[in-house]
Amino acid sequence: MQEKKEITATFDQDSKRYHRYVVDEGQGIVGTIYIPKGKEIPEEVIVKLGVKE
């Protein structure tokens, strides 16, 4: 069974077209999530990682 990891991202700032959320430090995963303005901001996002074939 594959390991599941829950991470948190915190709102950082708005750009002209996006809301930007940064993955909080110390979780072993880094990154940024951009959500287009005008779209509903989800409470939770599930990301499934895969391997390019």
Side-chain angles (χ1 to χ4, degrees):
M1 182 178 282
Q2 293 183 346
E3 178 187 356
K4 291 185 180 183
K5 182 164 181 90
E6 183 175 319
I7 61 167
T8 58
T10 304
F11 175 76
D12 184 43
Q13 68 179 15
D14 283 336
S15 68
K16 183 176 180 180
R17 295 184 181 101
Y18 298 97
H19 303 291
R20 182 170 75 190
Y21 288 78
V22 177
V23 174
D24 296 337
E25 293 182 35
Q27 300 182 97
I29 295 174
V30 297
T32 306
I33 299 169
Y34 292 92
I35 301 173
K37 285 186 175 179
K39 299 287 183 177
E40 185 175 336
I41 298 173
E43 183 177 318
E44 183 175 270
V45 176
I46 297 172
V47 177
K48 294 189 177 190
L49 302 175
V51 178
K52 204 173 188 180
E53 293 184 25

